[in-house]
Amino acid sequence: MNLPNILVMVILNALLFVKADYARAQTPISVEIIKTETGYKLLRGGKPYFIKGAGGTNYMDKLRNYGGNSIRTWSTHEGQRILDEAHKLGLSVTMGLAMATERHGFDYNDKVAVARQLERVRQEILQFKDHPALLAWGIGNELNLHYRNPKVWDAVEEVASMIQDLDPNHLVTTMLAGVNKKEIDLIKAKCPSLDLIAVQVYGGLASVPAQIRSTGWDKAYIVTEWGPTGHWEGPQTPWHASIEESSKEKAAVYKSRYEASIGQDKSCLGSYVFLWGQKQERTPTWYGLFTEAGEENEVVDVMHYLWKGKWPKNRAPRLDSLLLDGKKSLDFIYLKPGQNYDVAVFVTDSDKDKLRTRWEILHESTDLKEGGDRESRPARIEGLLTALSHDKALLVAPQQEGAYRLFVYVTDDHNHVATANIPFFVSTTENPSHNTLQPPHASNSYQFSETAFWADEFNYTGLPDSTKWSYDVGSKHNGWGNSELQYYTDANLNNVLVSNGTLKITALKEKMEDMDYTSARLVSRHKGDFLYGRFEARAKVPRGRGTWPAIWMLPTEWKYGGWPNSGEIDILEHVGYDQDVVHISVHTKAYHHSIHTQKTATKKIEAASDDFHLYRIDWTPDHIKGFVDDIEIFHFSNEKKTFKEWPFDQNFHWLLNLAVGGFWGGQKGIDSSIFPAILEIDYVRVYNLKNTD
């Protein structure tokens, strides 16, 4: 054989080898779910596989090195590159299939548009279904966020059924915002081809196992987004700036929430932490485990521990506090234009690394979106900060009145960072009215009567006045829908007593009807029902981890449907693990915590459990304002749209109760030594609305 023929044979053999190698590389790895005696198990290639994943496609090599095994995407954009890189690193991929949403204008009644979307998704599935890195398909992202048309679930089923036909080797799911029984009931009825569901939860992660069970979902699930306390869940300033946790606080909640839920629920097949990268969402630091410069915060250390069972050799710096003018975020900081203020940060490093600090001032973000939609980063303001040392700086307050935020980044020599920020408001007055920050259509011309037309002063002894109060009894709907652990008794002096001028609602550690605690819930339904007015309650909350007292209002007739459609008004809420922080909120179909849109405000007050404080809402046709000790902290405007945004045109009634545990009150466990725990109320009063328009 001559040399040219030999060369041809060598080349042909090489090509055949490459083709065979490529074919082997494109052999899918079969994935399945099996039911066990205690729950469910995921098998990949016949071997047990628990998802230790992250959302995002950055830093995949670090993910693998720190013990992670999977990534999640939101679409098939750059799908080949992502799958190939993941495969080289030994990672799997839950591949997102982008689906249009109603909140972005898509109409699921449009059969042509739905068919066009289905065909586009079909081509994406055919392109990637045989890739060995593929683990599962995720249909859409939070399709239940601000949707009205249940036909979206018909479209999900069409895609899921198509995947079962085209790709029997991989799982198929859809990603839901929160855990909501209504949506899960629809999915159970309309989407039988889904192998499992995927939920996305932040502050309420620890309660997900109980919530999943309460919906009746009897298949496996995964958590495809989880992370810090969401910007819709935590405290807000009077000017409606959400208060972000520091990197230290985030590390603590990531660890505790994971260990309480994902780490122990046998029906959970794993999760994808959010976000393995960086993005602007409310702030540049809220959700990313990395900074814009690629530095790793303390949460990355936590994920290393959760995935590998041991801490990394070198740890990130730990930021204990950030102070502006000697105050923290929850002190709600007001500065005068052009004046000087001290800034201090307190940071430690367990490895004794040399630390460096950088500071930044931004305008408070106004490009606010929902559902993770892209937001623009506010411009940096130069020339206002002078570093005095690694832990101190001098701030000159901006000349222009308005809302700002101070950021600090403390780094070591190992690409680690500690972060925190403080929102502040620049004003020429000591306590500015924040009505100027509200939408222009919010009316300020309402007044209220000087004397209460309905009240209970609790100036008698014995059970509460039966002409004003009835009782909710029992532990209905899986702990009243919140996984609470108390049984509410009926007119029991051990749990509810008026004496010495106050109402005392007492939670006791005692068994009743398979519940471990007893307490009371008073309601004024059909004895005190109101449309508009000023509602006041002077109260002292209990002290101790595990309590969840509330003074609130619900609709009397539920004209617009079950919760949250017909609305809820929370005049006071408190959870015992977050002492001296009180909450005022409203809930509607469009705005509630299950879909990450809750409208709420929080205030830190002195001695919430030692002294009485005045809690109040002013409810008018145009707005609901909330006050603590006559200081406005909350404002919710009537957008003049539909009942979904404003169901507050019907009668509501009072509820006074003390819950134990639950998805919020029990988020950090229950201290059994605190009982009996007492919510004490001096009075409740209602003043008539007088419209002076």
Side-chain angles (χ1 to χ4, degrees):
M1 185 179 290
N2 59 30
L3 185 59
N5 288 335
I6 293 174
L7 287 174
V8 169
M9 291 298 297
V10 169
I11 292 170
L12 287 173
N13 285 331
L15 289 172
L16 288 171
F17 176 80
V18 169
K19 183 176 180 180
D21 187 62
Y22 180 78
R24 284 194 298 272
Q26 292 298 304
T27 301
I29 298 176
S30 179
V31 182
E32 62 178 321
I33 298 171
I34 61 170
K35 188 171 177 56
T36 68
E37 291 183 0
T38 57
Y40 293 91
K41 185 177 291 186
L42 181 64
L43 299 181
R44 184 169 186 249
K47 299 177 181 178
Y49 191 85
F50 188 79
I51 300 171
K52 302 176 181 179
T57 59
N58 295 306
Y59 313 115
M60 282 196 270
D61 55 339
K62 292 185 177 184
L63 178 73
R64 179 203 59 188
N65 293 340
Y66 299 163
N69 62 10
S70 191
I71 61 168
R72 176 251 170 135
T73 74
W74 282 258
S75 72
T76 60
H77 179 64
E78 294 191 331
Q80 191 67 49
R81 178 191 65 79
I82 292 167
L83 287 163
D84 289 347
E85 184 176 347
H87 184 52
K88 289 177 183 176
L89 293 169
L91 304 175
S92 68
V93 179
T94 288
M95 181 68 75
L97 295 167
M99 298 277 283
T101 60
E102 278 190 76
R103 62 192 177 87
H104 290 149
F106 192 82
D107 182 3
Y108 275 92
N109 289 319
D110 186 338
K111 294 181 179 179
V112 173
V114 171
R116 188 182 303 119
Q117 175 174 256
L118 182 65
E119 180 56 29
R120 187 257 303 162
V121 171
R122 174 187 176 86
Q123 295 305 317
E124 293 173 1
I125 294 163
L126 290 172
Q127 183 178 0
F128 301 118
K129 69 182 182 67
D130 293 327
H131 201 288
L134 188 62
L135 179 74
W137 298 102
I139 304 174
N141 185 65
E142 300 188 349
L143 295 172
N144 60 321
L145 187 62
H146 291 324
Y147 87 107
R148 296 176 300 276
N149 191 345
K151 288 184 178 179
V152 66
W153 306 122
D154 297 328
V156 168
E157 170 60 17
E158 281 190 295
V159 174
S161 177
M162 180 173 65
I163 291 173
Q164 298 290 5
D165 291 337
L166 296 177
D167 181 14
N169 293 303
H170 301 110
L171 304 179
V172 56
T173 185
T174 187
M175 286 66 173
L176 300 175
V179 181
N180 187 290
K181 189 176 189 305
K182 174 188 171 185
E183 269 68 61
I184 290 181
D185 283 346
L186 282 168
I187 287 170
K188 287 165 66 177
K190 288 176 170 284
C191 305
S193 298
L194 292 179
D195 295 303
L196 71 168
I197 57 168
V199 297
Q200 308 193 154
V201 183
Y202 287 80
L205 180 66
S207 300
V208 163
Q211 288 180 304
I212 291 280
R213 286 193 295 271
S214 72
T215 67
W217 181 255
D218 58 359
K219 296 182 181 180
Y221 73 95
I222 55 177
V223 181
T224 43
E225 274 188 33
W226 64 276
T229 303
H231 58 263
W232 63 93
E233 297 173 306
Q236 287 189 334
T237 68
W239 56 94
H240 310 290
S242 297
I243 295 176
E244 181 180 348
E245 296 160 326
S246 68
S247 53
K248 174 186 174 181
E249 292 167 330
K250 290 175 186 176
V253 298
Y254 273 74
K255 183 174 183 292
S256 63
R257 291 170 184 165
Y258 183 98
E259 291 176 334
S261 56
I262 297 164
Q264 63 176 268
D265 188 359
K266 300 303 182 182
S267 292
C268 181
L269 305 180
S271 72
Y272 293 90
V273 67
F274 189 81
L275 169 70
W276 198 259
Q278 184 276 337
K279 69 178 297 194
Q280 167 72 34
E281 189 168 357
R282 262 33 178 204
T283 75
T285 56
W286 201 299
Y287 295 99
L289 276 62
F290 297 78
T291 65
E292 292 155 295
E295 300 146 333
E296 306 168 13
N297 69 30
E298 194 176 341
V299 178
V300 176
D301 292 353
V302 167
M303 298 316 302
H304 186 288
Y305 172 81
L306 294 173
W307 288 337
K308 279 198 165 184
K310 60 182 179 180
W311 294 100
K313 292 181 180 179
N314 189 276
R315 303 278 294 275
R318 172 162 288 194
L319 193 151
D320 293 309
S321 62
L322 172 63
L323 301 179
L324 172 55
D325 192 28
K327 301 171 184 174
K328 297 182 179 180
S329 290
L330 285 172
D331 294 321
F332 303 154
I333 301 168
Y334 294 91
L335 305 182
K336 296 290 182 63
Q339 292 195 12
N340 294 340
Y341 295 92
D342 292 327
V343 180
V345 62
F346 299 86
V347 184
T348 58
D349 189 282
S350 59
D351 304 298
K352 308 300 181 185
D353 291 328
K354 182 179 179 180
L355 301 178
R356 290 171 299 280
T357 305
R358 65 181 186 270
W359 308 89
E360 186 174 46
I361 297 287
L362 301 180
H363 285 282
E364 186 63 39
S365 179
T366 56
D367 182 24
L368 306 181
K369 305 289 177 57
E370 292 178 341
D373 293 349
R374 185 177 298 278
E375 299 178 7
S376 58
R377 189 187 199 276
R380 177 186 177 119
I381 304 172
E382 304 287 354
L384 299 179
L385 282 164
T386 302
L388 303 177
S389 64
H390 77 279
D391 57 359
K392 290 182 174 59
L394 184 67
L395 167 66
V396 180
Q399 291 290 344
Q400 182 181 357
E401 291 191 343
Y404 300 85
R405 201 175 283 250
L406 166 70
F407 291 79
V408 64
Y409 303 80
V410 183
T411 60
D412 63 11
D413 290 325
H414 299 273
N415 201 43
H416 298 144
V417 66
T419 65
N421 62 70
I422 292 183
F424 63 93
F425 196 90
V426 175
S427 175
T428 55
T429 59
E430 194 67 32
N431 286 299
S433 168
H434 293 103
N435 294 333
T436 57
L437 299 178
Q438 304 308 321
H441 60 254
S443 168
N444 297 310
S445 59
Y446 292 101
Q447 294 183 356
F448 302 89
S449 61
E450 295 181 0
T451 57
F453 81 96
W454 191 97
D456 198 336
E457 302 292 334
F458 302 118
N459 53 4
Y460 48 92
T461 300
L463 288 169
D465 185 346
S466 61
T467 67
K468 293 175 178 167
W469 303 104
S470 301
Y471 301 86
D472 279 339
V473 179
S475 56
K476 300 176 182 177
H477 318 302
N478 184 38
W480 300 95
N482 302 314
S483 303
E484 298 163 23
L485 302 179
Q486 79 289 330
Y487 185 94
Y488 284 136
T489 60
D490 186 359
N492 186 333
L493 286 170
N494 292 328
N495 297 117
V496 60
L497 173 67
V498 178
S499 65
N500 300 319
T502 65
L503 168 69
K504 302 167 183 69
I505 300 177
T506 302
L508 298 171
K509 192 177 191 308
E510 60 177 358
K511 286 274 190 181
M512 185 170 289
E513 299 289 337
D514 296 325
M515 305 303 283
D516 292 330
Y517 301 87
T518 62
S519 187
R521 180 153 112 173
L522 278 69
V523 297
S524 70
R525 184 172 52 248
H526 302 311
K527 298 178 179 181
D529 303 292
F530 315 97
L531 175 62
Y532 310 132
R534 172 170 288 171
F535 300 81
E536 290 185 344
R538 190 168 180 265
K540 182 165 55 176
V541 300
R543 183 187 300 276
R545 179 165 45 85
T547 60
W548 184 0
I551 298 174
W552 52 308
M553 302 181 76
L554 282 176
T556 300
E557 301 301 335
W558 298 90
K559 174 182 177 180
Y560 301 117
W563 192 95
N565 294 22
S566 293
E568 174 183 325
I569 303 171
D570 299 322
I571 302 171
L572 161 68
E573 280 191 287
H574 175 267
V575 286
Y577 67 80
D578 198 8
Q579 185 63 38
D580 294 336
V581 176
V582 295
H583 305 251
I584 298 177
S585 312
V586 299
H587 305 265
T588 75
K589 182 175 176 60
Y591 302 118
H592 63 96
H593 62 82
S594 298
I595 57 172
H596 304 181
T597 57
Q598 180 179 353
K599 299 297 183 180
T600 189
T602 306
K603 182 173 177 61
K604 185 170 185 179
I605 59 178
E606 294 296 329
S609 299
D610 300 318
D611 300 327
F612 285 95
H613 292 269
L614 183 62
Y615 304 96
R616 161 183 142 212
I617 63 114
D618 289 354
W619 172 20
T620 78
D622 281 339
H623 58 248
I624 295 173
K625 296 181 181 181
F627 302 78
V628 177
D629 294 328
D630 290 321
I631 296 174
E632 182 182 341
I633 70 165
F634 176 79
H635 189 117
F636 179 72
S637 292
N638 184 353
E639 301 172 26
K640 307 296 176 72
K641 294 180 180 177
T642 70
F643 79 88
K644 300 178 183 67
E645 295 77 25
W646 183 268
F648 305 113
D649 56 359
Q650 304 295 314
N651 282 342
F652 277 60
H653 61 271
W654 290 95
L655 295 94
L656 315 174
N657 67 274
L658 173 54
V660 179
F663 75 84
W664 191 19
Q667 194 173 106
K668 298 191 178 181
I670 300 172
D671 181 356
S672 61
S673 69
I674 66 173
F675 297 95
I678 300 173
L679 166 63
E680 193 167 359
I681 302 174
D682 186 17
Y683 59 78
V684 294
R685 297 172 181 167
V686 183
Y687 299 82
N688 266 326
L689 170 65
K690 297 192 301 183
N691 189 353
T692 60
D693 279 346

